[in-house]
Amino acid sequence: MTTNSAARERFTLGRETRLPPLLALALCAIATWLPGPPPASAQETPPVAVIGATVMASTWQDPVEALGTLRADESVTLSSTLTGTVSALNFEDGDEVAANQWLVQLDDAQAQAELRAAQALLGQRRSALNRAQQLQDRNLGVRATLEDNAALVKQSEAEIDAIRARLADHRLQAPFAGTVGLREISVGALVTPGTELVTLDKLDTMKLDFTVPATLLSVLHPGLTLSATTPSYPDQVFRAEVATLGTRIDPISRSLVVRANLPNPDGRLLPGMLMEVQLNQPAREALTIPESALVPDGERQTVWLIEPGQPAHVTRREVTTGERRQGEVEIIAGLDGGQRIVTHGTLKVREGDPVELVAENVGEGDIRDVLERQRRATESRASD
């Protein structure tokens, strides 16, 4: 009896020592079935700090860029119409000359002698005409003799006019007021018909000729404003208006020549100078957003639209864009005026994310200050 009681006592003690591990295993299994605290990913997502802008209607002008060439308002190259020797010059390089001022004189000694001879002959024939007229008045002369003398007088007068015209060709005059070019001839030089003697340009107003596509013919008209720049004066912008449209379209380039008049009171612009032209089409109203708000998605353009709420959240919206200018893009479809979009922070948000608008309609130069203030605010909340 004593032996059996001892064995039963040992068996009972062994069972009591093995029960706690089994009970712990059962409790663990039950714990896995019971709902626990929500995981970290299921907790509320903090708003993403972004910078936004408001879709606004603004005045938009579609610029047309072109290359143009300057021409003088009036320009001519004076040349000789006969063979002769230069006897005098009445200008220096770059002189301002008046209209009808003579510039080059050719030797006209022979023509002057011919003129004196013709004038002497004219005097003789007029005397003969006077004597014939006196005889005719007394009925002593023949009518035919009077008529012959009158014809000879007219012939001499015509010869004198021809000689004087030749004499005028010996002296080259400025057809208009302007600026002469470099002097390429000297006194004593022999010139022939077609020899270029001097250039003359009227530079107070310059003609700017440039070409634009014929597809813009419907919006082109005199009076359109334009601005022009040249590498010669990179810091200066010259402004003018369209003066004339060409009457023909080039069949190869399908372009039209447009001319504008540029004031040139100080004479800085010269003929032949290259100009970069920006022609402003008529102004129109258009919805615009900052170009930084665009998020390319393949061949599409999208933006992050800020939907109002508590808190505000973002949705992706496809848009159709139009023309662009520095820092801005025209929106043709997809947005309405007054809506808000994300301009900075587009890479941090996803569809439906809550957002915190920390700044709105901020210029590019102020972005750094906004980000620095946001960083300090974040660090202050973390320390609290």
Side-chain angles (χ1 to χ4, degrees), residues 6 12 16 29-30 63 67 93 105 116 129 141 165 251 294 299 302 310-311 314 324 355:
T12 303
E16 290 176 353
I30 294 172
L67 292 178
D93 297 345
Q105 175 68 55
R116 291 192 296 271
L129 177 62
L294 293 178
E299 297 182 355
T302 63
Q310 295 296 332
V314 293
R324 301 195 183 201
V355 293

Side-chain angles (χ1 to χ4, degrees), residues 245-284:
L245 303 181
T247 57
R248 297 183 180 182
I249 295 176
D250 191 312
I252 298 177
S253 63
R254 304 299 177 186
S255 59
L256 178 72
V257 177
V258 179
R259 172 169 292 177
N261 294 327
L262 282 179
N264 188 33
D266 53 3
R268 301 178 70 188
L269 301 177
L270 298 177
M273 189 175 289
L274 178 68
M275 302 289 288
E276 299 176 2
V277 182
Q278 188 174 73
L279 180 65
N280 298 319
Q281 297 188 45
R284 56 187 174 83

Side-chain angles (χ1 to χ4, degrees), residues 347-368:
L347 300 180
K348 298 189 300 181
V349 296
R350 295 294 183 267
E351 183 71 27
D353 279 356
V355 293
E356 178 188 359
L357 192 61
V358 297
E360 188 175 2
N361 301 326
V362 178
E364 291 295 332
D366 300 327
I367 294 296
R368 184 185 299 273

Side-chain angles (χ1 to χ4, degrees), residues 184-230:
E184 301 290 348
I185 57 172
S186 301
V187 174
L190 178 66
V191 297
T192 57
T195 302
E196 297 182 357
L197 302 181
V198 60
T199 61
L200 177 64
D201 297 301
K202 187 173 181 291
L203 302 178
D204 56 345
T205 300
M206 302 297 294
K207 295 176 180 177
L208 175 59
D209 292 347
F210 57 96
T211 57
V212 297
T215 54
L216 299 176
L217 187 59
S218 60
V219 298
L220 291 175
H221 60 82
L224 281 180
T225 60
L226 61 87
S227 58
T229 58
T230 175

